[in-house]
Amino acid sequence: MRLHRLKVTAFGPFAEPQEIDFDALSGAGIFLLHGPTGAGKTSVLDAVCYALYGSVPGPRQAPGTSLRSDHAPAGTPTEVTLELTAGGRRLEITRRPEQDRPKKRGTGTTKDKAQSWLREYDGQQWLALSRSHQEIGEEIEQLLGMSREQFCQVVLLPQGEFAKFLRADEVARGRLLGRLFDTRRFAAVETLLAERRRAAEAKVRAGDERVLGIAQRIAQAAGDSADLRAWPLPGHQPGDPGLAEAIRAWAAVARCAAREQRDVAEYALAAVEGRHAAARRAAEETRELDRLQRRHAETARRAALLAEAEPERERVRELLDRARRGALVAPALELRGAATAAHLSAAHAESAARAQLPPALAEAGTEQLAAVEQRLREDLGALGAAQRAEQRSAEIGRERATLEREARDAEEQLRESADWLARWETIRTGLVERVDAAQQAATLAEQLAGRLEPARMHLNASRRRDELDAAAERAEGELLSLREESTAARERWLELKEARLRGIAAELAQALVAGEACTVCGSAEHPAPARPSPGHVDRAAEDAAHARYEEAEERRTAVERTLAAVQEARTEAAAAAGEATTEELLALTSDLSSRHAAAHATAAGLHEARERLARAEREHAARSSERLDAERRAAARASRREALDQEQASLEAELALVRGDAPTVAARARTLEDRVRMVTGAAAALRRAETTAARLKEADDQLADAAFRAGFDTVEAAADAVLPDYERSALQHRLDAWQAEEAMLADRRGERDTAAAAALPPADPDTAEAHAERAAARLRTAGSVFDAARARCGELDRLSRQAEQELRALGPLREAYDRVARLAGLTAGTSADNERKMRLEAYVLAARLEQVAAAATVRLLRMSGGRYTLVHSDARGSGRGRSGLGLHVVDAWTGSERDTATLSGGETFFASLALALGLADVVTDEAGGMRLDTLFIDEGFGSLDDQALDEVLDVLDSLRERDRSVGIVSHVADLRTRVQAQLEIVKQRGGSVVRHRTAAITG
């Protein structure tokens, strides 16, 4: 893979379109990417990664982080275009992330979705291949042969991570190697076997639980019929191989005991059934004899009661006879009662009506009352025209009052309009002056706003300059302290290291074992091993001192970077603030702000002043028009009022003759209406009384005739004989009951068995029934015992068969569990057969790590002058640690092998760079031999001296043998004189820009 050209627009710190020509930079083999902190050096690498994979490296892909430049104009889209050669194909990838853009219509923004384009150059023109994110991602990953994580680790070479890799434990190394070398299939095998082991174990345990559950149910079903000393549960648990045989043996014992109890219960039940049948027959015979004897006694008692009731039967017969004859007279009695009630009501109404009549009509007949009613109705009809005249007079009064009210309102409105029109010129002059003042204030506000914004920017920059001055002073003090602390820590570490070297013989002597060869001289005899001297410094003390020194160096470096960033930011702030002090800028800004606020407040009333002037002009025109209309309406009201006065005077003269002594015509009409209703009611009551008197006389005659025909001497006797229907029905029911009782007693006297039973001694059914109940209780007890024994035998047989089925099914499951458990333990490194306790994935990664160490050693030997060699170690860690991913460095000067964590800062950079390059070679081979013609190395050169830097650059320069180009990302100033091709990132206020430069190589 070779990069040719990169173009970014509105991406990260780059606001304007920037283009990087990698072909020009790659001509020298090594090129330098440098610039101040925050300029965007890492953003160049982010853009390359984003173009290829649609996302930036993991640590910088934080949630909520936007790829868009804050300096870019709103209408400029964020876009990255990368041209490269991969797999022999010239490709161009263009990507746009999801971003907001201004709406084409209206205000606000809308969101554009992410877009991607892939094109290929066929030698003559560019051909479009795809616009699908997924298709482009699959195509690029297939051509490069590596995922995004592998690309970021192999092509971008993050030195800091490889330094951590050298010092990391085996777990951290496993995570990194697992991301680079796709060992997920081996981890999946481990996971699959572990899951299968857990599943098989769960099936075996579930089978054991089911068998134990059945055994518990067998124990519950067996009860006290089995020997609990053979119960298998106390001595066996799930997973016990002897559980099956114990349950089989114990179930057989339980079944035999249950069958014996069932046979005994069956014999006892047969004997009890015979005794119960005899007792039940005796009880039934005794009950029948008792029933017949009681029936005979009951018959005699009821016959005596019937004989005593004979006089009452005769009386009831007589009452029923008189009631049947009285029923013939009942309709006439009801008719006479209704006629009497109607006549009494009519007579009462007549008396009340005559009481309301005048004394002259108190004794008048129907003809006289009819004549009076006719005369009154004629007088009432004559009042109709007078009522209409009176209503018209009232309407005239209301209309005249309305005219008076309208005249008063119009006069008041006319007076108000006249006053307002008199003040019109003064009002108009004041409003025009307000409009002019607001227009002048708006002009002034615009002028002050143009001066206020630059003043505020200068003030903010001045405040920032003051803050950075204080921050720089604090950082300088802290840096001085940390330099002293680092120097002291380094001197202490060197002292301890020198002391340890002086006593290294005693330290080596502690590792001597009798009979084994010495690692220094090779002798198997150790006649006088060295002993530690007082105050001996061991390796732990030296490592602790070295760690404190490195920690102090890291803090010092961090503060130096912070101080450089603060000084750079202070220079920018001072340039933006100018020569004025913060107090001067604050006073100027406050004055401009107050003047601008006052002018803006005055100008804000311009629209309102114009509106008020327009409203006043419209009101002047309306009031002038209303004054003319009011004068015309006043003249019309005066004419109408005179006509109404004349009409009302004529009507009142006519009404005075018609009203009489009544206040109004309506009152006179109500009086006449009341008299008509009184006379009409009295005449109707008189006619109703005469009609009801005639009906009453006719009803008396019909009643007397009906009583005579029914056989009664008087009407009163006939009325006394009449009974209600419910009384007659009750008497008839009593008579029918006596007749039915008499017939029943006659039937019972003809029963022979009842008479024969009465001649025998009295029966005792309670005693016989008690004897039968005791026999039935004994039968139920025996039956329950037999049923329980039979059910117990059936349940034990069923549970035994179920247990046997479960035990047979459990055998293959246990064999499968043993097989998969052995495999899972072997791949997980927990089995005793796995001597080094290595997991399957760790075993594969150990082989990859061995290849990486071998590839890295080739370059490490050259960087270190043949001193250091990286070797892979599969030795087990201390304690319970596992083996497989150890990494050691062999020092050719001392012949010792030690952990990579003991390397110094510069040595760590050598090792990490060699490891990164070696890893790139191995991952390339893993990806099918894909050529990686462009590499980037990010930082780490600051820890090297001149000689070491030359050696590293020689190694990097040797990469050109494979036609590779290496980009170095670094702050080290010395590299600018050693590397000819350079890409400088320049940080500016409006966004960073890139510049291609060529440095002169100095000797």
Side-chain angles (χ1 to χ4, degrees):
M1 180 202 72
R2 176 179 292 277
L3 304 182
H4 299 294
R5 182 178 57 87
L6 174 67
K7 182 179 180 181
V8 295
T9 303
F11 182 88
F14 305 107
E16 298 297 329
Q18 304 294 321
E19 185 171 347
I20 300 173
D21 188 354
F22 286 111
D23 288 336
L25 293 172
S26 302
I30 300 177
F31 62 90
L32 177 65
L33 179 62
H34 68 94
T37 302
K41 298 184 297 298
T42 305
S43 297
V44 174
L45 308 185
D46 290 347
V48 172
C49 184
Y50 179 73
L52 291 174
Y53 295 95
S55 61
V56 298
R60 294 185 288 278
Q61 189 67 34
T65 302
S66 174
L67 301 178
R68 180 169 178 79
S69 173
D70 295 333
H71 304 283
T76 303
T78 299
E79 183 177 282
V80 176
T81 301
L82 177 65
E83 185 179 338
L84 73 157
T85 298
R89 299 168 61 185
R90 184 83 171 233
L91 301 175
E92 181 189 73
I93 308 169
T94 302
R95 292 189 187 269
R96 287 185 180 179
E98 184 181 78
Q99 54 191 296
D100 294 331
R101 63 164 176 81
K103 292 182 178 179
K104 296 181 179 178
R105 296 181 180 178
T107 60
T109 60
T110 185
K111 189 175 291 296
D112 280 343
K113 295 183 179 180
Q115 302 180 60
S116 300
W117 296 271
L118 177 63
R119 300 195 304 170
E120 182 177 2
Y121 188 70
D122 63 354
Q124 296 180 354
Q125 60 181 351
W126 287 98
L127 302 177
L129 298 183
S130 176
R131 296 190 62 175
S132 169
H133 299 302
Q134 182 177 0
E135 290 179 359
I136 295 174
E138 293 175 354
E139 182 74 14
I140 294 302
E141 189 164 343
Q142 182 177 2
L143 285 174
L144 299 184
M146 61 185 74
S147 63
R148 180 177 66 89
E149 290 77 10
Q150 290 175 317
F151 177 84
C152 295
Q153 200 73 40
V154 173
V155 178
L156 305 185
L157 297 182
Q159 296 303 299
E161 291 192 17
F162 279 99
K164 295 179 183 177
F165 181 81
L166 289 173
R167 298 185 176 91
D169 55 12
E170 296 186 0
V171 176
R173 286 175 183 161
R175 284 197 296 266
L176 175 60
L177 293 174
R179 291 198 307 267
L180 297 177
F181 302 103
D182 189 7
T183 58
R184 290 175 293 180
R185 58 188 183 276
F186 302 104
V189 170
E190 297 179 24
T191 304
L192 177 63
L193 290 175
E195 291 177 353
R196 288 187 178 181
R197 179 186 60 77
R198 288 192 294 270
E201 183 181 9
K203 290 180 180 179
V204 171
R205 182 168 292 277
D208 288 343
E209 294 293 343
R210 289 195 297 273
V211 170
L212 289 174
I214 295 173
Q216 292 175 346
R217 289 159 60 190
I218 291 175
Q220 294 173 357
D224 56 356
S225 63
D227 186 3
L228 291 180
R229 289 175 297 177
W231 170 238
L233 286 184
H236 299 85
Q237 295 298 329
D240 190 349
L243 179 63
E245 295 303 325
I247 290 178
R248 288 191 179 100
W250 188 83
V253 174
R255 291 196 301 274
C256 292
R259 292 192 181 98
E260 291 177 359
Q261 290 185 354
R262 182 193 61 188
D263 295 341
V264 172
E266 186 176 6
Y267 295 144
L269 177 62
V272 173
E273 284 178 346
R275 292 193 292 273
H276 174 262
R280 179 51 59 191
R281 287 193 297 272
E284 291 176 356
E285 292 173 356
T286 302
R287 283 198 302 273
E288 180 63 18
L289 178 60
D290 179 67
R291 185 185 68 80
L292 293 175
Q293 289 177 347
R294 286 189 283 103
R295 184 179 180 86
H296 183 271
E298 179 67 16
T299 301
R301 184 182 65 78
R302 294 173 68 174
L305 293 175
L306 185 62
E308 292 177 357
E310 185 60 30
E312 181 65 16
R313 291 175 66 186
E314 288 299 327
R315 188 184 70 81
V316 170
R317 289 192 189 97
E318 291 177 1
L319 287 175
L320 284 175
D321 181 63
R322 294 182 72 246
R324 279 192 293 271
R325 289 186 289 114
L328 299 175
V329 187
L333 285 171
E334 293 177 359
L335 182 61
R336 200 275 301 271
T340 301
H343 178 65
L344 291 175
S345 176
H348 178 72
E350 178 188 2
S351 299
R354 286 186 179 277
Q356 296 179 0
L357 292 174
L361 300 177
E363 299 298 332
T366 55
E367 292 79 4
Q368 184 180 0
L369 291 176
V372 173
E373 179 185 359
Q374 180 64 28
R375 187 174 65 254
L376 290 173
R377 290 187 180 275
E378 291 175 356
D379 295 341
L380 183 60
L383 294 178
Q387 286 181 336
R388 289 191 293 273
E390 187 178 41
Q391 292 175 355
R392 176 56 186 163
S393 178
E395 291 176 357
I396 290 173
R398 289 192 295 273
E399 185 175 356
R400 200 171 181 283
T402 301
L403 290 174
E404 292 293 338
R405 185 172 62 255
E406 290 178 352
R408 289 193 300 271
D409 294 343
E411 184 178 358
E412 183 178 355
Q413 184 177 4
L414 186 61
R415 186 169 55 254
E416 181 185 356
S417 297
D419 294 341
W420 192 90
L421 292 173
R423 294 182 286 106
W424 163 241
E425 290 300 329
T426 303
I427 294 173
R428 183 178 181 280
T429 302
L431 293 176
V432 170
E433 290 177 354
R434 288 191 58 185
V435 171
D436 295 340
Q439 288 177 341
Q440 294 175 2
T443 303
L444 179 60
E446 292 179 359
Q447 296 174 354
L448 292 175
R451 297 173 58 191
L452 180 59
E453 185 61 27
R456 286 176 175 171
M457 293 177 61
H458 291 158
L459 176 60
N460 293 334
S462 177
R463 288 173 173 171
R464 177 65 175 164
R465 178 191 60 195
D466 296 344
E467 293 174 357
L468 292 173
D469 285 340
E473 184 177 355
R474 290 193 300 270
E476 289 173 353
E478 184 178 359
L479 178 61
L480 180 60
S481 176
L482 289 175
R483 284 174 176 171
E484 295 176 354
E485 181 181 351
S486 175
T487 302
R490 185 175 184 277
E491 292 176 354
R492 176 58 179 168
W493 167 57
L494 294 176
E495 291 175 359
L496 293 177
K497 183 176 183 180
E498 185 178 358
R500 179 170 174 250
L501 291 176
R502 288 196 301 269
I504 195 67
E507 185 173 335
L508 294 174
Q510 291 179 352
L512 295 177
V513 178
E516 294 184 4
C518 174
T519 57
V520 178
C521 64
S523 173
E525 296 180 359
H526 318 297
R531 295 289 184 267
S533 61
H536 174 68
V537 177
D538 56 6
R539 181 173 183 175
E542 181 188 350
D543 290 345
H546 183 262
R548 286 192 295 272
Y549 164 63
E550 288 188 337
E551 181 181 357
E553 276 293 294
E554 290 177 357
R555 291 200 302 272
R556 180 188 62 78
T557 303
V559 173
E560 285 180 347
R561 288 196 295 267
T562 302
L563 178 59
V566 169
Q567 289 175 344
E568 183 178 357
R570 196 269 177 197
T571 302
E572 294 180 358
E579 299 298 331
T581 64
T582 303
E583 291 74 12
E584 294 172 349
L585 292 173
L586 179 60
L588 176 61
T589 304
S590 300
D591 178 62
L592 291 175
S593 297
S594 60
R595 292 171 59 193
H596 176 266
H600 186 271
T602 303
L606 176 60
H607 178 72
E608 181 184 0
R610 288 175 175 172
E611 288 293 329
R612 291 186 62 182
L613 178 59
R615 287 197 301 271
E617 291 175 346
R618 291 193 296 270
E619 186 176 1
H620 175 264
R623 286 181 180 271
S624 299
S625 177
E626 289 175 357
R627 182 172 61 180
L628 296 176
D629 292 342
E631 292 174 352
R632 289 193 295 269
R633 288 194 296 271
R637 280 195 297 272
S639 300
R640 178 61 177 167
R641 187 164 53 246
E642 292 177 0
L644 291 176
D645 290 343
Q646 294 176 1
E647 184 180 0
Q648 189 176 30
S650 175
L651 292 174
E652 287 296 329
E654 295 176 2
L655 291 174
L657 299 175
V658 178
R659 290 174 186 153
D661 55 354
T664 63
V665 176
R668 177 65 178 169
R670 286 194 296 272
T671 301
L672 291 177
E673 288 174 354
D674 292 341
R675 291 177 181 178
V676 169
R677 283 194 296 272
M678 180 178 62
V679 173
T680 301
L686 180 58
R687 287 192 295 271
R688 192 161 52 251
E690 292 173 352
T691 301
T692 55
R695 290 178 181 173
L696 178 59
K697 183 178 181 306
E698 183 181 355
D700 286 339
D701 294 342
Q702 291 178 0
L703 177 60
D705 184 58
F708 176 75
R709 287 196 303 270
F712 293 102
D713 296 336
T714 62
V715 174
E716 288 74 11
D720 293 339
V722 175
L723 292 177
D725 291 341
Y726 69 91
E727 291 187 5
R728 285 191 290 116
S729 178
L731 292 174
Q732 186 63 46
H733 287 165
R734 291 183 66 189
L735 189 59
D736 293 342
W738 279 323
Q739 291 176 354
E741 182 74 8
E742 187 174 15
M744 185 271 294
L745 292 176
D747 292 339
R748 284 191 178 185
R749 291 190 186 96
E751 296 176 355
R752 295 181 180 180
D753 52 353
T754 303
L760 296 176
D764 188 3
D766 293 338
T767 302
E769 187 64 30
H771 181 66
E773 286 295 331
R774 288 193 294 273
R778 288 192 291 271
L779 177 61
R780 288 193 296 273
T781 302
S784 299
V785 172
F786 175 69
D787 291 341
R790 184 174 56 188
R792 182 182 298 114
C793 290
E795 181 68 10
L796 289 174
D797 291 341
R798 185 185 68 80
L799 292 175
S800 297
R801 289 192 299 272
Q802 185 176 353
E804 185 62 29
Q805 293 174 357
E806 292 291 345
L807 290 173
R808 290 178 180 176
L810 189 58
L813 293 178
R814 194 179 299 279
E815 293 177 0
Y817 167 69
D818 293 339
R819 183 170 58 255
V820 74
R822 287 195 300 271
L823 288 175
L826 188 62
T827 57
T830 58
S831 172
D833 297 332
N834 192 333
E835 296 179 357
R836 296 188 178 276
K837 303 299 181 183
M838 291 178 65
R839 294 171 45 245
L840 177 61
E841 184 181 14
Y843 179 79
V844 176
L845 292 177
R848 298 301 189 202
L849 182 59
E850 189 172 1
Q851 296 174 359
V852 172
T857 297
V858 176
R859 295 183 175 87
L860 182 59
L861 286 171
R862 185 172 178 180
M863 293 182 192
S864 63
R867 179 178 180 182
Y868 293 119
T869 302
L870 283 175
V871 294
H872 160 255
S873 173
D874 59 358
R876 291 190 59 182
S878 60
R880 301 180 62 183
R882 298 182 181 182
S883 59
L885 298 178
L887 192 62
H888 292 172
V889 61
V890 177
D891 190 345
W893 292 4
T894 61
S896 62
E897 179 179 334
R898 53 193 173 99
D899 193 272
T900 54
T902 62
L903 295 173
S904 65
E907 294 170 343
T908 299
F909 175 75
F910 283 158
S912 61
L913 179 58
L915 192 65
L917 295 174
L919 182 63
D921 292 340
V922 174
V923 173
T924 300
D925 296 337
E926 179 73 13
M930 171 62 66
R931 288 178 54 83
L932 299 178
D933 298 324
T934 305
L935 300 176
F936 293 92
I937 301 175
D938 192 358
E939 290 299 345
F941 293 87
S943 59
L944 304 180
D945 54 25
D946 293 341
Q947 181 180 356
L949 184 59
D950 290 337
E951 293 175 351
V952 169
L953 292 178
D954 289 343
V955 171
L956 295 179
D957 190 60
S958 67
L959 294 177
R960 287 189 293 177
E961 298 173 1
R962 297 189 180 186
D963 195 22
R964 284 182 177 177
S965 62
V966 180
I968 300 175
V969 182
S970 178
H971 287 286
V972 178
D974 194 26
L975 286 174
R976 302 177 191 176
T977 61
R978 295 172 181 260
V979 179
Q980 182 178 6
Q982 298 179 13
L983 180 67
E984 182 181 8
I985 310 299
V986 181
K987 183 167 60 174
Q988 298 179 356
R989 180 179 298 275
S992 298
V993 296
V994 299
R995 296 176 182 172
H996 293 74
R997 292 187 175 182
T998 302
I1001 304 299
T1002 61

